Amino acid sequence: GAVVSQHPSRVICKSGTSVKIECRSLDFQATTMFWYRQFPKKSLMLMATSNEGSKATYEQGVEKDKFLINHASLTLSTLTVTSAHPEDSSFYICSARAGEHADTQYFGPGTRLTVL
Amino acid sequence: AQKITQTQPGMFVQEKEAVTLDCTYDTSDQSYGLFWYKQPSSGEMIFLIYQGSYDEQNATEGRYSLNFQKARKSANLVISASQLGDSAMYFCAMREVNTNAGKSTFGDGTTLTVKP
């Protein structure tokens, strides 16, 4: 099956700093990538949809200036949490779809962010 | 109304027995896909099985089968011969082709515990 990697898997940072999370599709080209946030024992909450070469589409209530998304190539999307605060601590998961009409999303292993 | 409903927050099953995890969905789109994902304690979302709305046969993948009842809008996951490694959180998801910008919607999940 398709493989999606995420880096780092775990990060601890101080309040006020910025953190970048990378999502890569390793064996396929991902025209669309998704970024989710998940709280413990809860469902995935879609934050934004990232299309290669264009601006990300953010879900209602998600601050685009706080969660910067860049999809510079068909295999890489990045999420930068700017000026992180403790309430940003969460599990962030990316997923990738091979094409607009592809059905299955393949997920990365997730990044656990802890902001002190 | 919720698009994906998983009514069982937690389920228990004896090892080697079969278990059914419930999922109902709500859509007016004629074309959609239904998915099940497994999320173990490590956090990674593992794709299990897919059912397209036009598929006449129920999807099967090894020990996983999807009991698709279109008229009732249900897509229950059946796991046969449960193993201890099946203990995890399970998410049902739907992707509507023509609405919701093709994004996937996830249920709240069911935590399955397999007892030895």
Side-chain angles (χ1 to χ4, degrees):
Chain A
V3 179
V4 176
S5 71
Q6 242 179 280
H7 178 80
S9 58
R10 190 179 292 268
V11 58
I12 301 172
C13 70
K14 290 184 179 179
S15 189
T17 60
S18 294
V19 174
K20 181 188 282 189
I21 303 170
E22 291 186 349
C23 178
R24 292 182 187 272
S25 56
L26 298 185
D27 52 0
F28 68 101
Q29 293 187 326
T31 56
T32 305
M33 287 184 170
F34 302 91
W35 287 96
Y36 294 87
R37 182 173 181 176
Q38 187 182 28
F39 292 103
K41 302 293 185 184
K42 297 294 183 184
S43 188
L44 280 70
M45 183 190 80
L46 180 64
M47 298 174 66
T49 302
S50 168
N51 292 301
E52 187 265 338
S54 63
K55 289 185 179 179
T57 304
Y58 290 82
E59 295 300 299
Q60 195 171 14
V62 178
E63 298 175 61
K64 62 178 72 173
D65 293 331
K66 179 159 189 65
F67 298 100
L68 300 178
I69 290 171
N70 183 279
H71 194 155
S73 76
L74 284 171
T75 59
L76 173 65
S77 176
T78 60
L79 167 68
T80 301
V81 183
T82 63
S83 188
H85 288 102
E87 56 265 31
D88 298 326
S89 298
S90 192
F91 192 58
Y92 292 88
I93 312 177
C94 74
S95 72
R97 207 161 69 199
E100 183 182 349
H101 301 292
D103 280 311
T104 305
Q105 289 181 63
Y106 296 94
F107 284 84
T111 296
R112 189 161 303 282
L113 171 64
T114 303
V115 184
L116 302 176
Chain B
Q2 266 195 310
K3 282 184 176 284
I4 295 285
T5 303
Q6 293 181 253
T7 57
Q8 308 151 314
M11 286 283 285
F12 290 88
V13 65
Q14 204 67 39
E15 192 180 7
K16 298 181 185 176
E17 291 185 353
V19 63
T20 298
L21 306 184
D22 295 342
C23 174
T24 57
Y25 59 93
D26 184 27
T27 181
S28 56
D29 202 326
Q30 295 300 309
S31 184
Y32 52 90
L34 297 157
F35 306 81
W36 277 92
Y37 291 89
K38 172 185 178 182
Q39 187 179 42
S41 56
S42 61
E44 184 173 3
M45 293 283 285
I46 301 167
F47 166 70
L48 295 178
I49 196 166
Y50 164 79
Q51 179 88 42
S53 58
Y54 293 112
D55 294 341
E56 294 185 353
Q57 305 270 2
N58 283 345
T60 60
E61 288 286 348
R63 293 186 300 112
Y64 305 109
S65 61
L66 200 151
N67 185 359
F68 181 45
Q69 297 189 39
K70 194 170 182 176
R72 295 180 58 187
K73 292 188 176 178
S74 78
N76 298 340
L77 176 71
V78 180
I79 305 175
S80 62
S82 297
Q83 302 172 355
L84 295 178
D86 294 335
S87 293
M89 199 155 182
Y90 289 79
F91 290 97
C92 178
M94 174 177 66
R95 177 175 178 246
E96 297 159 287
V97 174
N98 298 310
T99 58
N100 200 25
K103 294 176 287 190
S104 293
T105 307
F106 287 79
D108 289 338
T110 296
T111 300
L112 176 67
T113 303
V114 181
K115 297 190 287 186

